[in-house]
């Protein structure tokens, strides 16, 4: 059975990577510019590169997408608009976008320019697909955490109004939901939502359960998933109806791009041609993938949740191909049974399962085989042999011969990757021969001979002869696909004329393909400020978020009018509502941060509480609680007035929590760009760092794979993850069994509150995590004094440092 082959989308961090992708069979590439892209550490392209880059890609039949996939702050909208206009004018095929406000900005600039919803938008359900479609997106990149079964449910639920779906099929996996990770921002001021991820997930952590360190042996990289490799699932991905399969790696080398793209191109072509006869992936392909870059390969979440398999926790950096276990160590050599080929010149590393010690490795100088045993030698001084022991695992990290072979695929002068072209020939004796060429995208050119066709007595232009002559497309981006011969009668044309026609049709088709796309464009600039009601002059209101009944009672005793409640067991919300009503307070309850297909029962339980309102956190919540009082939470990533206006007006939200990516200057710009009464600002909290589908409780405190067989240790044990500097970060599970790791230290905006109030901020939130009830009352009383002018921000800051054993942090808030 034949299937429509999805687009193969490859990364391009620079020109060399773009050529590597094109020459190894990518249908499209994605790349970033100097700003507003989620991989600022890549070399990236400039706006001035766009015309040349797009002409190159299009001439080769390859689409190009710009990654405009970061949050954009209020004071950056004018700059973002200029960049977007350059992107539209250059004929880029689409922009991959995270920010809701940027989607609105693009539609102000151009009514038809294609928008792709980035995986940073955290779309996990049909409601998310509907949301981005209404926003104006032409395609959505689903969250990496979606399984094939969940993707099928999304397609079924959106069948009446389908939107093309894209998924990641290979590369590094973020342990946290993309667009929902605040770790780099909170701990180092480098926001993942701004392209500056510091990869804290790849560092070692200790597991602390009920205050005691858990001995996990050599497992220390508790948050570092194996890399994604969906190569074995290609036969299942084709009938899934996906529009695009995406390879991760804009920070990777051109050799990585070339190797991985070629492996998937070959697998897709094989599967599309004969799906039912496709056998297992050949070992050479696996070898190429592992040598390109690998922390271990798995299918990620595509086959469902398996917490034991996702994170092996032995290492967090590139390994490559496993060679075997060291049996004997002598000065200068080791002995082992090789499980993969090894030759002099290859690079290796020894893994001793001791993540706190430097690893040993280097180039192999000698490989001697004695039956099944290999003796491997190294150069003098390359290895510190006292750190290599029997039992260590040996990995091949470099294969120079393979790297040279891969580089030849995209080196200058290499044979270009060829795409099929459909030729049609027509004519009759006494008239010109007409040659039409159509590429895979439907572009059509027509040329005709300068000589008329003559009647032939021999060497007739039959289909075989035409294919032989016109199919000589070596050195061009084309290969002969179908050939339709509509010539009437027996005719002849000189070979030289056929060659000229072939050259002309190739040149004209390349030129046609290189022409930029023509998108519509509106000249009116976007307004940096949005309209709304006049700023309120009401007194600032303090709102508390609690995570236990003891905290709830303490807040109610303090007399606060509005309280938010977030409990792991959503069935307990009804009891929380009853307590708040009895105290005369308004209670909003919070559903879990992620919603997936089949989890509607959780939202039903939340609504059954009869709460006064809901703290909505995702697209499902916006739809499900549309008729209720709602406040948008920080996870909606509102960073600019355009995003705020769309969400507030489209979904009638009472207010929106400002993104946690904003510092005080950026918060100030947001309050200046839209009515301050629209916003709620969190001034005290333990910042949520990682929000994960990966369940640490299940993976390391049970032998189960998921919630069905883990025994639910999350209900019995208090867990923290201790980092390299000794901070023990609390870990919580929610009703969907997703984990959130919170910052050990509370973050306070005490020193900036009066400034924000002076700008019109009126809704200020204080969040509690594991705080005992006596501290809850004390903290709230102190912030009330601050708002009343009875205490300065610096005085409160010093007081908070005394309250909290670990002190407090300003986090990302300073200017």
């Amino acid at each position: 059975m034949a299937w429509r082959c999805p687009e193969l989308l490859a990364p391009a961090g620079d020109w060399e990577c773009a050529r590597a992708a094109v020459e190894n069979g990518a249908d499209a590439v994605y790349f970033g510019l100097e700003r507003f892209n989620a991989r600022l550490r890549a070399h990236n392209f400039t706006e001035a590169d766009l015309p040349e880059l797009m002409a190159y890609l299009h001439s080769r039949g390859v689409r190009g997408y710009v990654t405009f996939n970061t949050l954009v702050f209020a004071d950056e909208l004018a700059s973002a608009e200029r960049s977007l206009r350059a992107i539209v004018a250059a004929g880029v095929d689409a922009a991959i976008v995270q920010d809701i406000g940027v989607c609105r900005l693009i539609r102000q600039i151009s009514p038809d320019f294609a928008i792709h919803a980035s995986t940073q938008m955290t779309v996990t359900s049909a409601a998310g697909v509907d949301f981005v479609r209404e926003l104006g997106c032409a395609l959505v990149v689903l969250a990496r955490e979606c399984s094939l079964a969940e993707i099928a449910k999304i397609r079924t639920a959106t069948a009446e109004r389908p939107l093309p779906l894209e998924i990641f099929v290979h590369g590094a996996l973020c342990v946290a939901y993309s667009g929902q990770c605040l770790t780099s921002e909170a701990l180092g001021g480098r926001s993942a939502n701004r392209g500056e991820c510091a990869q804290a997930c790849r560092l070692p952590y200790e597991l602390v359960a009920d205050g005691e360190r858990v001995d996990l042996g050599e497992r220390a990289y508790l948050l570092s998933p194996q890399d994604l490799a969906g190569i074995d699932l290609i036969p299942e991905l084709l009938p899934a109806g996906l529009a695009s399969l995406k390879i991760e790696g804009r920070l990777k080398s051109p050799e990585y791009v070339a190797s991985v793209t070629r492996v998937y191109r070959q697998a897709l072509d094989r599967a599309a041609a004969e799906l039912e006869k496709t056998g297992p992936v050949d070992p050479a392909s696996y070898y190429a993938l592992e040598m390109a870059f690998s922390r271990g390969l798995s299918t990620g979440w595509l086959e469902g949740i398996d917490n034991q398999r996702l994170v092996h926790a032995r290492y967090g950096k590139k390994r490559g191909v496993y060679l075997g276990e060291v049996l004997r160590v002598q000065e200068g050599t080791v002995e082992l049974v090789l499980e993969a080929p090894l030759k002099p010149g290859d690079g290796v590393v020894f893994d001793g399962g001791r993540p706190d010690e430097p690893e040993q490795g280097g180039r192999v100088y000698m490989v001697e085989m004695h039956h099944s045993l290999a003796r491997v030698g190294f150069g003098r001084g390359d290895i510190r042999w006292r750190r290599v022991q029997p039992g260590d695992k040996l990995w091949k990290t470099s294969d120079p011969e393979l790297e040279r072979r891969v580089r030849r695929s995209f080196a200058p002068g290499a044979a270009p990757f060829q795409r099929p072209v459909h030729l049609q020939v027509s004519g009759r004796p006494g008239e010109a021969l007409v040659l039409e060429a159509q590429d895979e995208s439907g572009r059509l050119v027509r040329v005709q001979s300068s000589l008329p066709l003559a009647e032939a007595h021999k060497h007739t232009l039959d289909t075989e002869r035409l294919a032989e002559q016109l199919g000589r497309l070596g050195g061009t981006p084309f290969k002969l696909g179908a050939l339709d011969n509509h010539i009437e009668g027996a005719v002849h044309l000189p070979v030289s004329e056929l060659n000229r026609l072939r050259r002309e049709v190739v040149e004209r088709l390349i030129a046609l393909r290189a022409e930029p796309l023509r998108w519509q464009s509106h000249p009116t600039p976007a307004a940096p400020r949005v309209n709304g009601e006049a700023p309120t002059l009401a007194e600032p209101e303090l709102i508390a978020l609690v995570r236990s009944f003891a905290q709830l009672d303490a807040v109610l005793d303090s007399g606060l009018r509005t309280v938010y409640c977030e409990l792991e067991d959503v069935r307990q919300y009804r009891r929380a509502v009853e307590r708040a009503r009895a105290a005369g307070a308004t209670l909003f309850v919070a559903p879990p941060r992620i919603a997936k297909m089949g989890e509607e029962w959780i939202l039903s339980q939340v609504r059954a509480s009869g709460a006064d309102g809901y703290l909505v956190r995702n697209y499902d919540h916006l739809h499900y609680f549309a008729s209720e009082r709602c406040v948008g939470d920080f996870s909606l990533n509102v960073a600019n007035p355009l995003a705020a206006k769309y969400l507030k007006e489209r979904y009638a939200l009472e207010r929106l929590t400002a993104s946690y990516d904003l510092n005080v200057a950026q918060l100030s710009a947001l309050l200046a760009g839209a009515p301050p009464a629209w916003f709620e600002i969190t001034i005290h909290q333990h910042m949520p760092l990682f929000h994960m589908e990966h369940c640490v409780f299940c993976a390391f405190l049970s032998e189960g794979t998921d919630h069905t067989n883990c025994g639910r240790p999350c209900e019995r044990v208090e867990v923290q993850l201790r980092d390299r500097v000794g901070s023990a970060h609390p870990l919580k599970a929610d009703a969907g069994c997703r984990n959130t790791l919170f910052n050990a230290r509370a973050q306070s905006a005490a020193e900036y509150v009066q400034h924000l109030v002076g700008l019109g901020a009126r809704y200020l939130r204080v969040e509690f995590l594991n705080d005992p009830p006596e501290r809850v009352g004390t903290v709230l009383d102190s912030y009330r004094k601050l708002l009343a002018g009875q205490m300065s921000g610096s005085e409160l800051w010093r007081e908070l440092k005394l309250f909290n054993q670990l002190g407090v942090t300003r986090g990302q808030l300073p200017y």
Side-chain angles (χ1 to χ4, degrees):
M1 181 184 296
W3 299 88
R4 180 184 177 276
C5 197
E7 169 189 82
L8 180 59
L9 177 57
D14 57 25
W15 273 104
E16 200 169 23
C17 288
R19 287 192 291 270
V22 168
E23 300 302 357
N24 285 278
D27 298 308
V29 301
Y30 63 103
F31 55 90
L33 302 178
E34 307 100 311
R35 297 185 66 194
F36 306 121
N37 90 83
R39 291 292 183 272
L40 287 181
R41 287 188 292 125
H43 290 145
N44 294 312
F45 294 87
T46 67
E47 290 177 16
D49 290 325
L50 285 175
E52 182 182 357
L53 177 61
M54 294 312 303
Y56 164 68
L57 293 175
H58 287 166
S59 71
R60 301 301 304 278
V62 175
R63 292 173 288 280
Y65 308 136
V66 167
T67 54
F68 212 90
N69 56 343
T70 64
L71 300 183
V72 175
F73 302 146
D75 55 358
E76 297 174 324
L77 285 175
S79 175
E81 181 190 341
R82 288 192 295 272
S83 292
L84 287 166
R85 288 191 181 279
I87 290 167
V88 172
V92 171
D93 290 273
I96 303 171
V97 176
Q98 173 187 15
D99 195 309
I100 292 169
V102 171
C103 292
R104 304 310 299 158
L105 180 57
I106 288 173
R107 280 295 162 262
Q108 291 182 28
I109 295 170
S110 171
D112 62 346
F113 179 68
I115 305 171
H116 292 182
S118 169
T119 193
Q120 296 279 117
M121 292 190 81
T122 326
V123 175
T124 58
S125 67
V129 174
D130 291 339
F131 177 91
V132 299
R133 183 198 302 106
E134 186 174 337
L135 196 57
C137 296
L139 175 146
V140 55
V141 188
L142 295 176
R144 293 174 175 91
E145 290 79 0
C146 291
S147 68
L148 284 172
E150 289 162 345
I151 292 168
K153 291 179 181 178
I154 291 172
R155 287 196 69 225
T156 299
T158 58
E160 292 186 5
R161 298 183 65 200
L163 192 69
L165 305 179
E166 178 180 301
I167 66 166
F168 279 88
V169 73
H170 192 92
L173 281 177
C174 301
V175 75
Y177 273 92
S178 293
Q180 300 296 317
C181 183
L182 294 161
T183 312
S184 298
E185 175 74 37
L187 300 181
R190 296 172 50 184
S191 169
N193 284 328
R194 296 280 290 174
E196 298 177 305
C197 174
Q199 295 194 313
C201 53
R202 304 300 179 188
L203 300 176
Y205 294 87
E206 292 180 345
L207 184 68
V208 179
D210 290 337
E212 298 292 329
R213 178 181 177 274
V214 178
D215 185 1
L216 296 174
E218 60 189 25
R219 295 185 297 168
Y221 293 89
L222 309 184
L223 303 179
S224 181
Q226 297 190 77
D227 289 347
L228 172 64
I231 191 74
D232 282 329
L233 301 179
I234 292 295
E236 297 175 54
L237 292 171
L238 286 188
L242 296 163
S244 182
L245 303 181
K246 187 172 192 174
I247 298 167
E248 178 276 337
R250 280 188 292 133
L251 288 172
K252 302 285 189 5
S253 69
E255 291 84 0
Y256 165 91
V257 174
S259 286
V260 177
T261 301
R262 173 163 292 198
V263 168
Y264 278 88
R265 176 77 279 152
Q266 292 171 347
L268 281 169
D269 290 347
R270 248 188 344 260
E274 295 184 273
L275 181 65
E276 296 173 352
K277 297 181 182 178
T278 299
V281 177
D282 64 282
S285 293
Y286 274 119
Y287 180 81
L289 293 178
E290 289 182 314
M291 289 309 304
F293 192 96
S294 167
R295 299 180 182 92
L297 299 179
S298 80
T299 55
W301 288 281
L302 288 174
E303 294 183 287
I305 294 172
D306 185 341
N307 287 299
Q308 299 300 332
R309 183 182 178 194
L310 181 74
V311 176
H312 54 61
R314 284 181 54 88
Y315 47 82
K317 60 185 72 171
K318 176 184 177 180
R319 276 299 182 258
V321 172
Y322 180 60
L323 294 171
E325 185 175 303
V326 174
L327 301 176
R328 185 180 178 188
V329 180
Q330 290 182 313
E331 187 72 21
T333 65
V334 295
E335 292 182 356
L336 71 161
V337 177
L338 285 176
E339 299 192 19
L342 182 66
K343 59 188 178 300
D346 289 346
V348 300
V349 67
F350 292 93
D351 176 5
R354 300 178 291 277
D356 55 331
E357 297 180 9
E359 292 181 333
Q360 298 303 302
R363 293 285 172 191
V364 171
Y365 273 55
M366 177 260 308
V367 179
E368 292 180 354
M369 297 301 301
H370 302 280
H371 303 293
S372 62
L373 198 66
R375 184 165 169 262
V376 182
F378 298 83
R380 185 184 302 274
D382 288 354
I383 308 292
R384 294 187 179 183
W385 289 105
R386 62 185 178 82
R387 292 185 173 175
V388 179
Q389 301 173 8
D392 288 358
K393 292 175 168 45
L394 188 63
W395 297 84
K396 184 196 290 194
T397 57
S398 171
D399 182 342
E401 182 181 310
L402 174 63
E403 292 162 13
R404 285 192 293 270
R405 191 163 65 246
V406 169
R407 284 197 68 84
R408 285 198 293 269
S409 71
F410 58 90
F417 181 84
Q418 294 180 308
R419 299 179 183 276
V421 63
H422 177 195
L423 299 183
Q424 181 171 291
V425 184
S426 60
R428 63 181 64 178
E431 297 181 358
L433 180 142
V434 177
L435 173 62
E436 293 182 350
Q438 188 171 34
D439 70 5
E440 70 283 359
S441 298
R443 299 181 188 88
L444 180 69
V445 297
R446 176 182 297 158
V447 298
Q448 64 182 36
S449 63
S450 58
L451 302 174
L453 291 166
E455 291 190 10
H457 302 290
K458 59 180 181 178
H459 304 307
T460 303
L461 282 184
D462 56 18
T463 301
E464 182 179 354
R465 185 170 176 80
L466 286 167
E468 177 187 357
Q469 206 63 39
L470 297 177
R472 295 182 177 180
L473 295 165
T476 79
F478 306 113
K479 62 183 177 181
L480 182 61
L483 173 63
D484 296 335
N485 182 2
H486 298 295
I487 294 177
E488 300 177 16
V491 298
H492 172 72
L493 196 68
V495 169
S496 59
E497 184 64 5
L498 286 174
N499 290 341
R500 186 191 67 78
L501 289 171
R502 185 189 67 240
R503 289 192 296 269
E504 183 178 351
V505 82
V506 166
E507 291 170 0
R508 291 182 58 182
L509 188 54
I510 289 174
L512 180 63
R513 286 151 66 108
E515 291 179 3
L517 299 177
R518 301 297 181 186
W519 302 106
Q520 297 180 52
S521 181
H522 296 317
T524 306
R529 179 182 172 85
V530 302
N531 296 322
E533 66 268 23
T536 177
L537 298 177
E539 289 297 314
E541 179 180 354
L542 208 58
I543 299 167
L545 183 146
V546 299
R547 292 185 168 94
S548 71
F549 280 99
Q551 291 176 354
L552 175 61
D553 289 340
V555 170
L556 294 176
D557 288 344
S558 75
L560 251 63
R561 300 192 303 271
T562 304
V563 186
Y564 300 156
C565 187
E566 180 179 14
L567 301 176
E568 178 183 346
D569 185 354
V570 296
R571 294 170 298 181
Q572 297 297 319
Y573 279 149
R574 187 187 297 271
R575 185 154 61 101
V577 171
E578 291 172 354
R579 290 197 189 185
R581 291 243 169 91
T586 297
L587 188 74
F588 282 59
V589 298
R593 196 155 140 198
I594 297 294
K596 279 192 169 185
M597 308 297 292
E599 294 182 353
E600 293 78 12
W601 65 270
I602 297 178
L603 301 186
S604 177
Q605 289 277 3
V606 172
R607 177 181 274 166
S609 69
D612 298 296
Y614 302 90
L615 192 59
V616 295
R617 294 168 158 178
N618 60 47
Y619 314 118
D620 289 77
H621 300 168
L622 290 170
H623 171 74
Y624 193 86
F625 299 107
S627 61
E628 312 286 346
R629 293 181 63 188
C630 292
V631 170
D633 205 3
F634 73 95
S635 51
L636 295 177
N637 282 329
V638 174
N640 58 66
L642 294 178
K645 177 179 175 66
Y646 182 79
L647 287 169
K648 191 170 192 311
E649 295 182 354
R650 170 63 182 82
Y651 295 96
L653 302 180
E654 293 193 6
R655 54 189 175 273
L656 294 147
T657 310
S659 165
Y660 290 171
D661 278 285
L662 304 178
N663 64 26
V664 173
Q666 292 147 1
L667 281 169
S668 301
L670 181 64
L671 295 173
W678 284 9
F679 302 105
E680 186 169 301
I681 298 172
T682 302
I683 59 173
H684 184 101
Q685 63 167 322
H686 289 264
M687 182 76 86
L689 305 177
F690 299 106
H691 187 61
M692 309 172 284
E693 192 76 26
H694 169 51
C695 182
V696 175
F697 295 94
C698 176
F700 302 107
L701 292 176
S702 85
E703 296 182 357
T705 57
D706 59 22
H707 72 281
T708 65
N709 54 22
C710 69
R712 300 192 69 81
C714 58
E715 296 179 352
R716 305 186 307 272
V717 183
E718 291 287 333
V719 167
Q720 299 164 310
L721 298 187
R722 184 183 290 133
D723 64 21
R724 295 181 301 172
V725 299
S727 295
H729 305 289
L731 186 74
K732 299 288 186 181
D734 65 18
C737 288
R738 294 171 190 103
N739 288 189
T740 304
L741 188 69
F742 291 87
N743 194 354
R745 290 200 294 167
Q747 175 175 301
S748 173
E751 297 162 305
Y752 311 107
V753 168
Q754 294 293 0
H755 167 75
L756 295 170
V757 169
L759 294 175
R762 290 298 178 265
Y763 300 99
L764 307 172
R765 188 195 304 178
V766 174
E767 291 197 359
F768 298 101
L769 185 60
N770 291 330
D771 307 75
E774 58 272 16
R775 185 184 301 163
V776 169
T778 304
V779 169
L780 288 177
D781 185 56
S782 295
Y783 276 103
R784 278 175 159 160
K785 289 179 180 177
L786 174 66
L787 292 176
Q790 299 169 5
M791 177 184 289
S792 70
S794 57
E795 288 173 333
L796 176 53
W797 174 263
R798 289 192 295 270
E799 187 173 284
L800 290 171
K801 290 183 71 173
L802 296 175
F803 290 165
N804 294 274
Q805 182 180 0
L806 299 174
V808 287
T809 177
R810 297 176 180 88
Q812 86 291 351
L813 289 169
Y815 294 85

